[in-house]
Amino acid sequence: MAAIGDDAAAMDSISRAQAAHSVSPNSPANSSSQGEGPEDAAETLVVAPKKSSANSDVGVETAEEAVEPAEPDINELCTDMFEKMAIFLQGELTATCEDYHLLENMNKLTSLKYLEMKDISINISRNLQDLNNKYASLQPYLDQINQIEEQVSALEHAAYKLDAYSKKLEARFKKLEKR
């Protein structure tokens, strides 16, 4: 993976500082390694080749990561990771399926409730229609009651007039009797 821009410059300065520090002639560790052959020095210090990046500024070079040999148990780790990912994904899919089953059951229950409400509203409509029919059948009797009430009030009015006339007549009779 190649770094670009400020990251490349920082990595370049770090690798230069490490190279200068490891090659300094005053270092006691390097004095003993100077006596060894170039093959031993290559084994102790692995520096990746530097490539210039087309995206970076002129003069800035980037470092490549050193490639280490694969560890022998990397296959086991990958297999373990894939098994655990499979278990995780299986759990996620199972949870999603359960959510859909729950939603399906809720939809069925809601549908049943709406059917019950439909039946109730049909019964209410039927009862209301029956009440309207009964009211229509009672309407002639109600009209007769209204006519009787009007006649009673007219008769009551006539009775009050008759009572008032009889009181006047009594008053006249008493007046005539006194004479």
Side-chain angles (χ1 to χ4, degrees), residues 83-167:
E83 287 174 358
K84 289 180 180 177
M85 277 300 281
I87 291 169
F88 170 74
L89 291 175
Q90 186 69 31
E92 287 292 315
L93 292 175
T94 302
T96 303
C97 285
E98 290 299 321
D99 287 344
Y100 280 121
H101 286 300
L102 177 64
L103 187 60
E104 182 181 4
N105 289 340
M106 288 172 59
N107 284 338
K108 287 178 182 177
L109 286 175
T110 304
S111 175
L112 290 175
K113 287 291 184 184
Y114 278 118
L115 286 176
E116 287 176 11
M117 289 171 53
K118 177 186 169 192
D119 291 341
I120 290 170
S121 65
I122 287 172
N123 287 337
I124 289 173
S125 175
R126 189 176 304 132
N127 290 339
L128 183 61
Q129 190 175 8
D130 289 344
L131 285 175
N132 285 337
N133 290 339
K134 288 178 182 178
Y135 180 77
S137 68
L138 290 176
Q139 189 63 41
Y141 298 113
L142 294 174
D143 290 339
Q144 285 179 358
I145 290 172
N146 287 339
Q147 287 175 353
I148 292 172
E149 184 182 356
E150 288 173 4
Q151 290 173 356
V152 166
S153 81
L155 187 59
E156 184 181 9
H157 187 60
Y160 283 133
K161 279 186 179 182
L162 185 60
D163 187 45
Y165 182 69
S166 67
K167 284 182 183 179

Coordinates of all heavy atoms in Angstrom, one line a residue, residues 83-167:
E83 N -16.1 -19.2 9.5 CA -17.2 -19.9 10.2 C -17.9 -19.0 11.2 O -19.2 -19.0 11.2 CB -16.5 -21.0 11.0 CG -16.0 -22.2 10.2 CD -15.3 -23.2 11.0 OE1 -15.1 -23.0 12.2 OE2 -14.9 -24.2 10.4
K84 N -17.2 -18.1 11.9 CA -17.9 -17.2 12.8 C -18.7 -16.2 12.0 O -19.8 -15.8 12.4 CB -16.9 -16.5 13.7 CG -16.3 -17.4 14.7 CD -15.3 -16.8 15.6 CE -14.8 -17.8 16.6 NZ -13.7 -17.2 17.5
M85 N -18.2 -15.7 10.8 CA -19.0 -14.8 10.0 C -20.3 -15.5 9.5 O -21.3 -14.9 9.4 CB -18.2 -14.3 8.8 CG -17.3 -13.1 9.1 SD -18.2 -11.7 9.7 CE -18.8 -11.0 8.2
A86 N -20.1 -16.8 9.1 CA -21.3 -17.5 8.7 C -22.3 -17.7 9.8 O -23.5 -17.5 9.6 CB -20.9 -18.9 8.2
I87 N -21.9 -17.9 11.0 CA -22.8 -18.0 12.2 C -23.5 -16.7 12.4 O -24.7 -16.6 12.6 CB -22.0 -18.5 13.4 CG1 -21.6 -19.9 13.3 CG2 -22.9 -18.3 14.7 CD1 -20.6 -20.4 14.3
F88 N -22.7 -15.6 12.3 CA -23.2 -14.3 12.5 C -24.3 -13.9 11.4 O -25.4 -13.5 11.8 CB -22.1 -13.2 12.5 CG -22.6 -11.8 12.4 CD1 -23.1 -11.2 13.5 CD2 -22.5 -11.1 11.2 CE1 -23.5 -9.9 13.5 CE2 -23.0 -9.8 11.2 CZ -23.5 -9.2 12.3
L89 N -23.9 -14.2 10.2 CA -24.9 -13.9 9.1 C -26.1 -14.8 9.2 O -27.2 -14.3 8.9 CB -24.2 -14.1 7.7 CG -23.1 -13.0 7.4 CD1 -22.4 -13.4 6.1 CD2 -23.7 -11.6 7.3
Q90 N -25.9 -16.0 9.6 CA -27.1 -16.9 9.8 C -28.0 -16.4 10.9 O -29.2 -16.4 10.7 CB -26.6 -18.3 10.2 CG -27.7 -19.4 10.2 CD -28.3 -19.7 8.9 OE1 -27.6 -19.6 7.9 NE2 -29.5 -20.0 8.9
G91 N -27.4 -15.9 12.0 CA -28.2 -15.3 13.0 C -28.9 -14.0 12.6 O -30.1 -13.8 12.9
E92 N -28.3 -13.2 11.8 CA -28.9 -12.0 11.3 C -30.1 -12.4 10.3 O -31.1 -11.8 10.4 CB -27.9 -11.1 10.5 CG -26.9 -10.4 11.4 CD -27.5 -9.3 12.2 OE1 -28.3 -8.6 11.7 OE2 -27.2 -9.3 13.4
L93 N -29.9 -13.3 9.5 CA -30.9 -13.8 8.6 C -32.1 -14.4 9.3 O -33.2 -14.2 9.0 CB -30.4 -14.7 7.5 CG -29.4 -14.1 6.5 CD1 -28.8 -15.1 5.6 CD2 -30.1 -13.0 5.7
T94 N -31.7 -15.2 10.3 CA -32.8 -15.8 11.2 C -33.6 -14.7 11.9 O -34.9 -14.8 11.9 CB -32.2 -16.8 12.2 OG1 -31.4 -17.7 11.5 CG2 -33.2 -17.4 13.0
A95 N -32.9 -13.7 12.4 CA -33.7 -12.6 13.1 C -34.6 -11.9 12.1 O -35.7 -11.6 12.4 CB -32.7 -11.7 13.7
T96 N -34.1 -11.7 10.9 CA -34.9 -11.0 9.9 C -36.1 -11.9 9.5 O -37.2 -11.3 9.4 CB -34.0 -10.7 8.6 OG1 -32.9 -9.9 9.0 CG2 -34.8 -10.0 7.6
C97 N -35.9 -13.2 9.3 CA -37.0 -14.1 9.0 C -38.0 -14.1 10.2 O -39.2 -14.0 9.9 CB -36.5 -15.5 8.8 SG -35.7 -15.7 7.2
E98 N -37.5 -14.1 11.4 CA -38.5 -14.0 12.5 C -39.2 -12.7 12.5 O -40.4 -12.7 12.9 CB -37.7 -14.2 13.8 CG -37.1 -15.6 14.0 CD -38.2 -16.7 14.1 OE1 -39.3 -16.4 14.7 OE2 -38.0 -17.8 13.5
D99 N -38.6 -11.6 12.2 CA -39.3 -10.3 12.1 C -40.4 -10.4 11.1 O -41.5 -9.9 11.3 CB -38.3 -9.2 11.8 CG -37.4 -8.9 13.0 OD1 -37.7 -9.3 14.1 OD2 -36.4 -8.2 12.7
Y100 N -40.1 -11.0 9.9 CA -41.1 -11.1 8.9 C -42.3 -12.1 9.3 O -43.4 -11.8 9.0 CB -40.5 -11.6 7.6 CG -39.8 -10.5 6.8 CD1 -38.5 -10.6 6.5 CD2 -40.5 -9.4 6.4 CE1 -37.8 -9.6 5.8 CE2 -39.9 -8.4 5.7 CZ -38.5 -8.5 5.4 OH -37.9 -7.5 4.8
H101 N -41.9 -13.1 10.0 CA -43.0 -14.0 10.5 C -43.9 -13.3 11.5 O -45.1 -13.4 11.5 CB -42.4 -15.3 11.2 CG -41.9 -16.2 10.2 ND1 -42.6 -16.8 9.2 CD2 -40.6 -16.7 10.0 CE1 -41.9 -17.7 8.5 NE2 -40.7 -17.6 9.0
L102 N -43.3 -12.5 12.4 CA -44.0 -11.7 13.4 C -44.9 -10.7 12.6 O -46.1 -10.5 13.0 CB -43.1 -11.0 14.3 CG -43.7 -10.0 15.3 CD1 -44.6 -10.8 16.3 CD2 -42.6 -9.2 16.1
L103 N -44.4 -10.0 11.6 CA -45.2 -9.1 10.9 C -46.3 -9.7 10.2 O -47.4 -9.2 10.1 CB -44.2 -8.4 9.9 CG -44.8 -7.2 9.1 CD1 -45.3 -6.1 10.0 CD2 -43.8 -6.6 8.1
E104 N -46.1 -10.9 9.6 CA -47.1 -11.7 9.0 C -48.2 -12.1 10.0 O -49.4 -11.9 9.6 CB -46.5 -13.0 8.3 CG -47.5 -13.8 7.6 CD -46.9 -15.1 7.0 OE1 -45.7 -15.3 7.3 OE2 -47.6 -15.8 6.3
N105 N -47.9 -12.5 11.1 CA -48.9 -12.8 12.2 C -49.6 -11.6 12.6 O -50.9 -11.7 12.8 CB -48.2 -13.5 13.4 CG -47.7 -14.9 13.1 OD1 -48.1 -15.5 12.1 ND2 -46.7 -15.3 13.9
M106 N -48.9 -10.5 12.7 CA -49.6 -9.2 13.1 C -50.6 -8.8 12.0 O -51.8 -8.4 12.3 CB -48.6 -8.1 13.3 CG -47.8 -8.3 14.6 SD -46.5 -7.1 14.8 CE -47.3 -5.6 14.8
N107 N -50.2 -9.0 10.7 CA -51.1 -8.7 9.6 C -52.4 -9.6 9.6 O -53.5 -9.2 9.4 CB -50.4 -8.8 8.3 CG -49.5 -7.6 8.0 OD1 -49.7 -6.6 8.6 ND2 -48.5 -7.8 7.2
K108 N -52.2 -10.9 9.9 CA -53.3 -11.8 10.0 C -54.2 -11.4 11.1 O -55.5 -11.4 11.0 CB -52.8 -13.2 10.2 CG -52.2 -13.9 9.0 CD -51.6 -15.2 9.2 CE -51.0 -15.8 8.0 NZ -50.4 -17.2 8.3
L109 N -53.7 -11.1 12.3 CA -54.5 -10.7 13.4 C -55.3 -9.4 13.1 O -56.5 -9.3 13.4 CB -53.7 -10.5 14.7 CG -53.2 -11.8 15.3 CD1 -52.3 -11.5 16.5 CD2 -54.4 -12.6 15.8
T110 N -54.6 -8.5 12.5 CA -55.3 -7.2 12.1 C -56.4 -7.5 11.1 O -57.5 -6.9 11.2 CB -54.2 -6.2 11.5 OG1 -53.2 -6.1 12.4 CG2 -54.9 -4.9 11.2
S111 N -56.1 -8.4 10.2 CA -57.2 -8.7 9.2 C -58.4 -9.3 9.9 O -59.5 -9.0 9.6 CB -56.6 -9.7 8.2 OG -57.6 -10.1 7.3
L112 N -58.1 -10.2 10.9 CA -59.2 -10.8 11.6 C -60.0 -9.8 12.4 O -61.2 -9.8 12.5 CB -58.7 -11.9 12.6 CG -58.2 -13.2 11.9 CD1 -57.6 -14.1 13.0 CD2 -59.3 -13.9 11.2
K113 N -59.3 -8.8 13.0 CA -60.0 -7.7 13.8 C -60.8 -6.9 12.8 O -61.9 -6.5 13.2 CB -58.9 -6.8 14.5 CG -58.3 -7.5 15.7 CD -59.2 -7.7 16.8 CE -58.5 -8.2 18.0 NZ -59.4 -8.5 19.1
Y114 N -60.3 -6.6 11.6 CA -61.1 -5.9 10.7 C -62.3 -6.6 10.2 O -63.4 -6.1 10.0 CB -60.3 -5.4 9.5 CG -59.5 -4.2 9.7 CD1 -58.1 -4.2 9.7 CD2 -60.1 -3.0 10.0 CE1 -57.3 -3.1 9.9 CE2 -59.4 -1.8 10.3 CZ -58.0 -1.9 10.2 OH -57.3 -0.8 10.5
L115 N -62.2 -8.0 10.1 CA -63.4 -8.8 9.7 C -64.4 -8.7 10.9 O -65.6 -8.6 10.6 CB -63.0 -10.2 9.4 CG -62.2 -10.4 8.1 CD1 -61.8 -11.9 8.0 CD2 -63.2 -10.1 7.0
E116 N -63.9 -8.8 12.1 CA -64.9 -8.7 13.3 C -65.6 -7.3 13.3 O -66.8 -7.3 13.5 CB -64.1 -8.9 14.6 CG -63.7 -10.3 14.8 CD -62.9 -10.5 16.1 OE1 -62.8 -9.5 16.9 OE2 -62.3 -11.5 16.3
M117 N -64.8 -6.3 13.0 CA -65.4 -4.9 13.0 C -66.4 -4.8 11.9 O -67.4 -4.2 12.0 CB -64.3 -3.9 12.9 CG -63.4 -3.8 14.2 SD -62.0 -2.7 14.0 CE -62.6 -1.2 13.3
K118 N -66.1 -5.5 10.7 CA -67.0 -5.4 9.6 C -68.3 -6.1 10.0 O -69.4 -5.6 9.7 CB -66.4 -6.1 8.4 CG -67.3 -6.2 7.2 CD -66.6 -7.1 6.1 CE -67.6 -7.4 5.0 NZ -67.1 -8.4 4.1
D119 N -68.2 -7.3 10.6 CA -69.4 -8.0 11.1 C -70.2 -7.2 12.1 O -71.5 -7.1 12.0 CB -69.0 -9.3 11.7 CG -68.5 -10.3 10.7 OD1 -68.7 -10.2 9.5 OD2 -67.8 -11.3 11.1
I120 N -69.5 -6.5 13.0 CA -70.2 -5.7 14.0 C -70.9 -4.5 13.3 O -72.1 -4.2 13.6 CB -69.2 -5.2 15.0 CG1 -68.8 -6.3 15.9 CG2 -69.8 -4.1 15.9 CD1 -67.6 -6.0 16.8
S121 N -70.3 -3.9 12.3 CA -70.9 -2.8 11.6 C -72.1 -3.2 10.8 O -73.1 -2.5 10.7 CB -69.9 -2.0 10.8 OG -69.4 -2.9 9.7
I122 N -72.0 -4.4 10.2 CA -73.1 -5.0 9.4 C -74.3 -5.2 10.4 O -75.5 -4.9 10.0 CB -72.7 -6.3 8.7 CG1 -71.8 -5.9 7.5 CG2 -73.9 -7.0 8.2 CD1 -71.2 -7.2 6.8
N123 N -74.0 -5.8 11.6 CA -75.1 -6.0 12.5 C -75.7 -4.7 13.0 O -76.9 -4.6 13.1 CB -74.6 -6.8 13.8 CG -74.3 -8.2 13.4 OD1 -74.9 -8.8 12.5 ND2 -73.4 -8.8 14.2
I124 N -74.9 -3.7 13.2 CA -75.4 -2.4 13.6 C -76.3 -1.8 12.5 O -77.3 -1.2 12.8 CB -74.2 -1.4 14.0 CG1 -73.6 -1.9 15.3 CG2 -74.7 0.0 14.1 CD1 -72.3 -1.1 15.7
S125 N -75.8 -1.9 11.3 CA -76.6 -1.4 10.2 C -77.9 -2.1 10.0 O -78.9 -1.5 9.8 CB -75.7 -1.6 8.9 OG -76.5 -1.2 7.8
R126 N -77.9 -3.4 10.2 CA -79.1 -4.2 10.1 C -80.1 -3.8 11.2 O -81.3 -3.6 11.0 CB -78.8 -5.7 10.2 CG -80.0 -6.6 9.9 CD -79.6 -8.1 10.0 NE -78.5 -8.3 9.0 CZ -77.4 -9.0 9.3 NH1 -77.2 -9.5 10.5 NH2 -76.5 -9.2 8.4
N127 N -79.6 -3.6 12.5 CA -80.4 -3.2 13.6 C -81.0 -1.8 13.4 O -82.1 -1.5 13.7 CB -79.6 -3.3 14.9 CG -79.4 -4.7 15.3 OD1 -80.0 -5.6 14.9 ND2 -78.3 -4.9 16.2
L128 N -80.2 -0.9 12.8 CA -80.6 0.4 12.6 C -81.7 0.4 11.5 O -82.7 1.1 11.6 CB -79.5 1.3 12.1 CG -79.8 2.8 11.8 CD1 -80.3 3.5 13.1 CD2 -78.5 3.5 11.3
Q129 N -81.6 -0.4 10.5 CA -82.6 -0.5 9.5 C -83.9 -1.1 10.1 O -85.0 -0.6 9.8 CB -82.1 -1.4 8.3 CG -83.0 -1.4 7.1 CD -82.4 -2.2 6.0 OE1 -81.4 -2.9 6.2 NE2 -83.0 -2.1 4.8
D130 N -83.8 -2.1 11.0 CA -85.0 -2.6 11.7 C -85.7 -1.5 12.5 O -86.9 -1.4 12.5 CB -84.6 -3.8 12.5 CG -84.2 -5.0 11.8 OD1 -84.5 -5.1 10.5 OD2 -83.6 -5.9 12.4
L131 N -84.9 -0.7 13.2 CA -85.5 0.4 14.0 C -86.2 1.4 13.1 O -87.3 1.9 13.5 CB -84.4 1.0 14.8 CG -83.9 0.3 16.1 CD1 -82.8 1.0 16.7 CD2 -85.0 0.1 17.1
N132 N -85.6 1.7 12.0 CA -86.2 2.6 11.0 C -87.5 2.1 10.5 O -88.5 2.8 10.4 CB -85.3 3.0 9.9 CG -84.2 3.9 10.3 OD1 -84.3 4.7 11.3 ND2 -83.1 3.9 9.6
N133 N -87.5 0.8 10.2 CA -88.8 0.1 9.7 C -89.8 0.1 10.8 O -91.0 0.4 10.6 CB -88.5 -1.3 9.3 CG -87.7 -1.4 8.0 OD1 -87.6 -0.4 7.2 ND2 -87.0 -2.5 7.8
K134 N -89.4 -0.2 12.1 CA -90.4 -0.1 13.2 C -90.9 1.3 13.4 O -92.1 1.5 13.6 CB -89.8 -0.6 14.5 CG -89.6 -2.1 14.5 CD -88.9 -2.6 15.7 CE -88.6 -4.1 15.7 NZ -87.9 -4.6 16.9
Y135 N -90.1 2.3 13.3 CA -90.5 3.7 13.5 C -91.5 4.0 12.3 O -92.5 4.7 12.6 CB -89.3 4.6 13.4 CG -89.7 6.1 13.6 CD1 -90.0 6.6 14.8 CD2 -89.7 6.9 12.5 CE1 -90.4 7.9 15.0 CE2 -90.0 8.2 12.7 CZ -90.4 8.7 13.9 OH -90.7 10.0 14.1
A136 N -91.2 3.6 11.1 CA -92.1 3.8 10.0 C -93.4 3.2 10.2 O -94.5 3.7 9.9 CB -91.5 3.4 8.7
S137 N -93.4 2.0 10.8 CA -94.7 1.3 11.0 C -95.5 1.9 12.2 O -96.7 1.9 12.2 CB -94.5 -0.2 11.3 OG -93.8 -0.4 12.6
L138 N -94.8 2.6 13.1 CA -95.4 3.3 14.2 C -95.9 4.7 13.8 O -96.6 5.3 14.6 CB -94.5 3.3 15.4 CG -94.3 2.0 16.2 CD1 -93.3 2.2 17.3 CD2 -95.6 1.5 16.7
Q139 N -95.4 5.2 12.7 CA -95.7 6.6 12.4 C -97.2 6.9 12.3 O -97.6 8.0 12.8 CB -95.0 6.9 11.0 CG -95.0 8.4 10.6 CD -94.3 9.2 11.6 OE1 -93.2 8.9 12.1 NE2 -94.9 10.4 12.0
P140 N -98.1 6.0 11.7 CA -99.5 6.4 11.7 C -100.1 6.5 13.1 O -100.9 7.4 13.4 CB -100.2 5.2 11.0 CG -99.1 4.5 10.2 CD -97.8 4.8 10.9
Y141 N -99.6 5.7 14.1 CA -100.1 5.8 15.4 C -99.6 7.1 16.1 O -100.3 7.7 16.9 CB -99.6 4.6 16.3 CG -100.2 3.3 15.7 CD1 -99.3 2.3 15.2 CD2 -101.6 3.0 15.8 CE1 -99.8 1.1 14.7 CE2 -102.1 1.8 15.3 CZ -101.2 0.9 14.7 OH -101.7 -0.3 14.2
L142 N -98.4 7.4 15.8 CA -97.8 8.7 16.3 C -98.6 9.9 15.8 O -98.8 10.9 16.5 CB -96.3 8.8 16.0 CG -95.4 7.8 16.6 CD1 -94.0 7.9 16.1 CD2 -95.4 8.0 18.1
D143 N -99.0 9.8 14.5 CA -99.8 10.9 13.9 C -101.2 11.0 14.6 O -101.7 12.1 14.8 CB -100.0 10.6 12.4 CG -98.7 10.8 11.6 OD1 -97.8 11.5 12.1 OD2 -98.6 10.3 10.5
Q144 N -101.7 9.8 14.9 CA -103.0 9.8 15.6 C -102.9 10.4 17.0 O -103.7 11.2 17.5 CB -103.6 8.4 15.7 CG -104.1 7.8 14.4 CD -104.6 6.4 14.6 OE1 -104.5 5.8 15.7 NE2 -105.2 5.8 13.5
I145 N -101.8 10.1 17.7 CA -101.5 10.7 19.0 C -101.4 12.2 18.9 O -102.0 12.9 19.7 CB -100.3 10.1 19.6 CG1 -100.5 8.6 20.0 CG2 -99.8 10.8 20.9 CD1 -99.3 7.8 20.4
N146 N -100.8 12.7 17.9 CA -100.7 14.1 17.7 C -102.0 14.8 17.4 O -102.3 15.8 18.0 CB -99.7 14.4 16.5 CG -98.2 14.2 16.9 OD1 -97.9 14.1 18.0 ND2 -97.4 14.0 15.8
Q147 N -102.9 14.1 16.6 CA -104.2 14.6 16.4 C -105.0 14.6 17.7 O -105.8 15.6 17.9 CB -104.9 13.8 15.3 CG -104.4 14.0 13.9 CD -105.1 13.0 12.9 OE1 -105.8 12.1 13.3 NE2 -104.7 13.2 11.6
I148 N -104.9 13.6 18.4 CA -105.7 13.5 19.7 C -105.2 14.6 20.6 O -106.0 15.3 21.3 CB -105.5 12.1 20.4 CG1 -106.3 11.1 19.5 CG2 -106.0 12.1 21.8 CD1 -106.0 9.6 20.0
E149 N -103.9 14.8 20.7 CA -103.4 15.9 21.5 C -103.9 17.3 21.1 O -104.3 18.1 21.9 CB -101.8 15.9 21.5 CG -101.2 16.9 22.4 CD -99.7 16.9 22.3 OE1 -99.1 16.1 21.6 OE2 -99.1 17.7 23.0
E150 N -104.0 17.5 19.8 CA -104.5 18.8 19.3 C -106.0 18.9 19.7 O -106.5 20.0 20.1 CB -104.4 18.9 17.8 CG -102.9 19.1 17.3 CD -102.8 19.0 15.8 OE1 -103.8 18.9 15.1 OE2 -101.6 19.0 15.3
Q151 N -106.8 17.8 19.6 CA -108.2 17.8 19.9 C -108.4 18.1 21.4 O -109.3 18.8 21.8 CB -108.9 16.5 19.5 CG -109.0 16.4 18.0 CD -109.5 15.0 17.6 OE1 -109.7 14.1 18.4 NE2 -109.7 14.8 16.3
V152 N -107.5 17.5 22.2 CA -107.6 17.6 23.7 C -107.3 19.1 24.0 O -108.0 19.7 24.9 CB -106.7 16.6 24.4 CG1 -106.5 17.0 25.9 CG2 -107.2 15.2 24.3
S153 N -106.3 19.6 23.4 CA -106.0 21.1 23.7 C -107.2 22.0 23.2 O -107.5 22.9 23.9 CB -104.7 21.5 23.1 OG -104.7 21.8 21.8
A154 N -107.8 21.7 22.1 CA -109.0 22.5 21.7 C -110.1 22.3 22.6 O -110.8 23.3 23.0 CB -109.4 22.1 20.3
L155 N -110.4 21.1 23.1 CA -111.4 20.8 24.1 C -111.1 21.5 25.4 O -112.1 22.1 26.0 CB -111.5 19.3 24.3 CG -112.7 18.8 25.1 CD1 -114.0 19.2 24.5 CD2 -112.7 17.3 25.3
E156 N -109.9 21.5 25.8 CA -109.5 22.2 27.1 C -109.8 23.7 26.9 O -110.3 24.3 27.8 CB -108.0 21.9 27.4 CG -107.5 22.5 28.7 CD -106.1 22.2 28.9 OE1 -105.4 21.7 28.0 OE2 -105.6 22.5 30.0
H157 N -109.4 24.2 25.8 CA -109.6 25.7 25.5 C -111.2 26.0 25.6 O -111.6 27.0 26.2 CB -109.1 26.0 24.1 CG -109.1 27.5 23.8 ND1 -108.5 28.4 24.6 CD2 -109.7 28.2 22.8 CE1 -108.7 29.6 24.1 NE2 -109.4 29.5 23.0
A158 N -112.0 25.1 25.0 CA -113.4 25.3 25.0 C -114.0 25.2 26.4 O -114.9 25.9 26.8 CB -114.1 24.3 24.1
A159 N -113.4 24.3 27.2 CA -113.8 24.1 28.6 C -113.5 25.4 29.4 O -114.3 25.8 30.3 CB -113.1 22.9 29.3
Y160 N -112.3 26.0 29.2 CA -112.0 27.2 29.9 C -113.0 28.3 29.5 O -113.4 29.1 30.4 CB -110.6 27.7 29.6 CG -109.5 26.9 30.3 CD1 -108.4 26.4 29.6 CD2 -109.6 26.7 31.7 CE1 -107.4 25.7 30.3 CE2 -108.6 25.9 32.4 CZ -107.5 25.5 31.7 OH -106.6 24.8 32.3
K161 N -113.4 28.4 28.2 CA -114.3 29.4 27.8 C -115.7 29.2 28.5 O -116.3 30.1 28.9 CB -114.5 29.4 26.3 CG -113.4 30.1 25.5 CD -113.8 30.1 24.0 CE -112.7 30.8 23.2 NZ -113.1 30.9 21.8
L162 N -116.1 27.9 28.5 CA -117.4 27.5 29.1 C -117.3 27.9 30.6 O -118.3 28.4 31.1 CB -117.6 26.0 28.9 CG -119.0 25.5 29.3 CD1 -120.1 26.3 28.6 CD2 -119.1 24.0 29.1
D163 N -116.2 27.6 31.3 CA -116.1 27.9 32.7 C -116.2 29.4 32.9 O -116.9 29.9 33.8 CB -114.8 27.4 33.2 CG -114.6 27.5 34.7 OD1 -115.6 27.2 35.4 OD2 -113.5 27.9 35.2
A164 N -115.5 30.2 32.1 CA -115.6 31.6 32.2 C -117.0 32.1 31.9 O -117.5 33.0 32.7 CB -114.6 32.3 31.2
Y165 N -117.7 31.6 31.0 CA -119.0 32.0 30.7 C -120.0 31.6 31.8 O -120.8 32.4 32.2 CB -119.5 31.4 29.3 CG -120.9 31.8 28.9 CD1 -121.1 33.1 28.5 CD2 -121.9 30.9 29.0 CE1 -122.4 33.4 28.2 CE2 -123.2 31.2 28.6 CZ -123.4 32.5 28.2 OH -124.7 32.9 27.9
S166 N -119.8 30.4 32.4 CA -120.6 30.0 33.5 C -120.4 30.9 34.7 O -121.4 31.2 35.4 CB -120.4 28.6 33.8 OG -119.2 28.4 34.3
K167 N -119.2 31.4 34.9 CA -118.9 32.3 36.0 C -119.6 33.6 35.8 O -120.2 34.2 36.7 CB -117.4 32.5 36.2 CG -116.7 31.3 36.9 CD -115.3 31.5 37.1 CE -114.6 30.3 37.7 NZ -113.2 30.5 37.9

